[in-house]
Structures are given as structure tokens and as C-alpha cells.
Amino acid sequence: MTNTYLIINDKKGIIVDPTIGLEKYIDDIKKINITAILLTHCHIDHIASAHLFDAPIYMSKIDAINIKDNRINLSNIIGLDDEVLSLNNLKIECILTPGHTSGGMCFLINDSLFSGDTLFQVGIGRTDFPTGNMNDLKKSLLKLKCLPKNTKIYPGHGELSTLEFELKYNPYLK
């Protein structure tokens, strides 16, 4: 139930949050030159298939450390904060959004926000996991509220949305 996104530009691909089970799609995905992996946070359901790709991984510096801790990444089984990447002729704004994890990250590409577990359609990510913090999440949501209203939201779980819709219906953005 975790969403993974494949962004294709200039015949190259960027994967956002490679979830569990991508193996069954690997032949199709590898037809595209995957040049980067963006991780919104360190939880196992967002990182499980990253090892399938020979591409650099981009995530917050905090969760680059947290990813190695099974207690934090929720598994039994590297860093950017508020910077801008240039990949495949795309400008990718890296927005540090702690709350769901201490190193949560959203990625803004043009008018599309890949929000991981920071912001869902009419909801937000849980804060009761290790390193989760509701006060931090509230501050992160304030950052996101400042984005243009036409911003499309691509969450880590559930349906797609827009910031305009979330500002109107999401109780956490009131």
C-alpha cells in the first residue's frame, strides 16, 4: 500500500520511495536509465527496493543515519537538507520535513510535491514511531502550506491530491 513513483525526463528515470515488491516490475523499470533514487524518509516500506538499482540515493542527512538503525527504520533487515538538486534536467527542491521521522523529506519538482508520509490526502503520517514528533510535523506542514495552491501532492500512501484541496479539507492544514 506504499506508493512508488517513477519520474521520466530526457529518457532518464528517477525513482521516489522504491517500496517492497518492485522486483516483479524490475525488467520494465530497467528499460529506463535510472539515474537517482529519492527517499522521503527511512522507513522500510519506502526503502525496501532501493538496492535493486545502481543509482545514487538522495535523502536527508538525518535519515541517512537513521536508515542504519533497525529500531528507527522499522525493519529487521545518502544526504540533503533544504537544498536543490539538478538531475535529468530537472530542478528538485529538497524540503526537510521532520515529524513522521526526524529526517523526513519532501521533494518538489515543478508543481509536483512527493510528500512521503508527511502529507496525505486529508491526513498526515503517524508520529508514534521512533523519532516521530507531532510538533516537528506541524512546523513541516507550515512550510508546505506556503507552496503554490496548484501544487500536486504525490503522497507515500493513498490517493493523489492538490495543495488547494488539502488547504480546504485537511484538518491538519487548518
Side-chain angles (χ1 to χ4, degrees), residues 2-4 17-20 38-50 59-60 63-64 66-77 99-105 116-118 120 125-133 156-157:
T2 301
N3 296 333
T4 295
D17 289 348
T19 190
I20 299 163
L38 306 180
L39 301 179
T40 60
H41 63 288
C42 70
H43 285 164
I44 190 66
D45 57 329
H46 294 261
I47 67 172
S49 293
M59 64 188 308
S60 75
D63 267 3
N66 291 342
I67 202 169
K68 298 173 187 171
D69 186 331
N70 292 346
R71 182 184 63 84
I72 295 172
N73 73 24
L74 305 176
S75 74
N76 291 323
I77 30 181
H100 179 65
T101 65
S102 58
M105 177 79 74
D117 285 9
T118 298
F120 301 138
R126 295 170 55 169
T127 58
D128 59 333
F129 291 135
T131 81
N133 183 296
H157 304 275

Side-chain angles (χ1 to χ4, degrees), residues 122-124 166-174:
V122 194
I124 58 173
E166 295 311 309
L167 290 169
K168 189 172 181 180
Y169 297 107
N170 192 323
Y172 297 98
L173 292 181
K174 299 273 182 209

Side-chain angles (χ1 to χ4, degrees), residues 1-173:
M1 302 277 304
T2 301
N3 296 333
T4 295
Y5 300 99
L6 177 59
I7 303 161
I8 301 171
N9 196 53
D10 282 352
K11 299 179 183 175
K12 297 176 186 170
I14 299 169
I15 294 179
V16 181
D17 289 348
T19 190
I20 299 163
L22 286 187
E23 293 85 358
K24 61 184 171 186
Y25 305 107
I26 198 70
D27 291 337
D28 289 328
I29 295 171
K30 287 201 172 179
K31 291 177 184 173
I32 299 159
N33 180 16
I34 303 299
T35 60
I37 299 169
L38 306 180
L39 301 179
T40 60
H41 63 288
C42 70
H43 285 164
I44 190 66
D45 57 329
H46 294 261
I47 67 172
S49 293
H51 69 283
L52 298 175
F53 305 97
D54 184 23
I57 295 175
Y58 298 90
M59 64 188 308
S60 75
K61 293 174 186 174
I62 297 165
D63 267 3
I65 295 166
N66 291 342
I67 202 169
K68 298 173 187 171
D69 186 331
N70 292 346
R71 182 184 63 84
I72 295 172
N73 73 24
L74 305 176
S75 74
N76 291 323
I77 30 181
I78 308 206
L80 302 162
D81 297 340
D82 293 328
E83 297 180 25
V84 177
L85 295 173
S86 180
L87 298 169
N88 301 354
N89 291 320
L90 291 170
K91 182 178 110 178
I92 302 170
E93 294 181 50
C94 305
I95 305 168
L96 186 64
T97 54
H100 179 65
T101 65
S102 58
M105 177 79 74
C106 291
F107 298 100
L108 181 65
I109 303 173
N110 298 320
D111 64 350
S112 297
L113 182 75
F114 297 87
S115 61
D117 285 9
T118 298
L119 180 61
F120 301 138
Q121 186 183 76
V122 194
I124 58 173
R126 295 170 55 169
T127 58
D128 59 333
F129 291 135
T131 81
N133 183 296
M134 182 54 95
N135 288 331
D136 289 345
L137 187 54
K138 287 177 182 178
K139 290 175 190 172
S140 294
L141 294 172
L142 288 175
K143 279 187 191 180
L144 300 182
K145 284 176 72 169
C146 296
L147 296 174
K149 288 183 180 180
N150 69 331
T151 301
K152 297 176 199 85
I153 309 294
Y154 293 85
H157 304 275
E159 299 297 318
L160 307 182
S161 190
T162 64
L163 186 58
E164 183 174 27
F165 180 89
E166 295 311 309
L167 290 169
K168 189 172 181 180
Y169 297 107
N170 192 323
Y172 297 98
L173 292 181

